[in-house]
Amino acid sequence: MSRSHSAFSGTSRISSASAVEAIGEITRIISSINDYQTTIASAVEEQTATTAEMSRSVAEAATGTGEIASNITGVAEASTFTTEGVAQARVATEDLARMAGDLQAQVASFVY
């Protein structure tokens, strides 16, 4: 073997070893990137599930708020009816008091 051939052969082995080492490093980097992508994909999936749950909770709260508003309207209407009933009862009580006074006056006019 000539000196130039053995120098080339030695350089070739060094270049091959360097290439193998570089390919190994590239493989580790790609693997690391893949791990990051998997972690990110998992986080996005969890975030999507959390967002969906929050949307469902907000929709339920909106429904509950609507029901509360409806109930308050019902209470307000019942209060109005009660107020009207109390006013009517007051008028009836005043009429009864007046009639009682008239009746007492008529009874008093009788002589025993």
Side-chain angles (χ1 to χ4, degrees):
M1 222 179 355
S2 72
R3 196 167 187 200
S4 66
H5 180 68
S6 64
F8 175 75
S9 177
T11 304
S12 176
R13 274 186 253 135
I14 292 172
S15 294
S16 294
S18 295
V20 168
E21 187 177 318
I23 290 171
E25 183 63 23
I26 290 169
T27 302
R28 284 190 291 280
I29 291 170
I30 290 172
S31 177
S32 180
I33 290 171
N34 186 43
D35 290 345
Y36 290 137
Q37 286 178 327
T38 300
T39 301
I40 291 168
S42 177
V44 167
E45 185 177 325
E46 288 179 25
Q47 186 65 38
T48 300
T50 300
T51 301
E53 180 62 23
M54 289 172 63
S55 294
R56 186 189 62 75
S57 294
V58 167
E60 284 181 6
T63 299
T65 301
E67 290 173 0
I68 289 169
S70 177
N71 289 338
I72 289 172
T73 299
V75 168
E77 289 174 355
S79 175
T80 299
F81 292 139
T82 301
T83 300
E84 290 172 1
V86 167
Q88 290 172 356
R90 189 188 86 239
V91 169
T93 302
E94 290 170 356
D95 288 346
L96 284 173
R98 184 185 44 76
M99 285 193 260
D102 291 346
L103 186 58
Q104 278 182 338
Q106 287 180 2
V107 170
S109 69
F110 289 111
V111 178
Y112 292 99

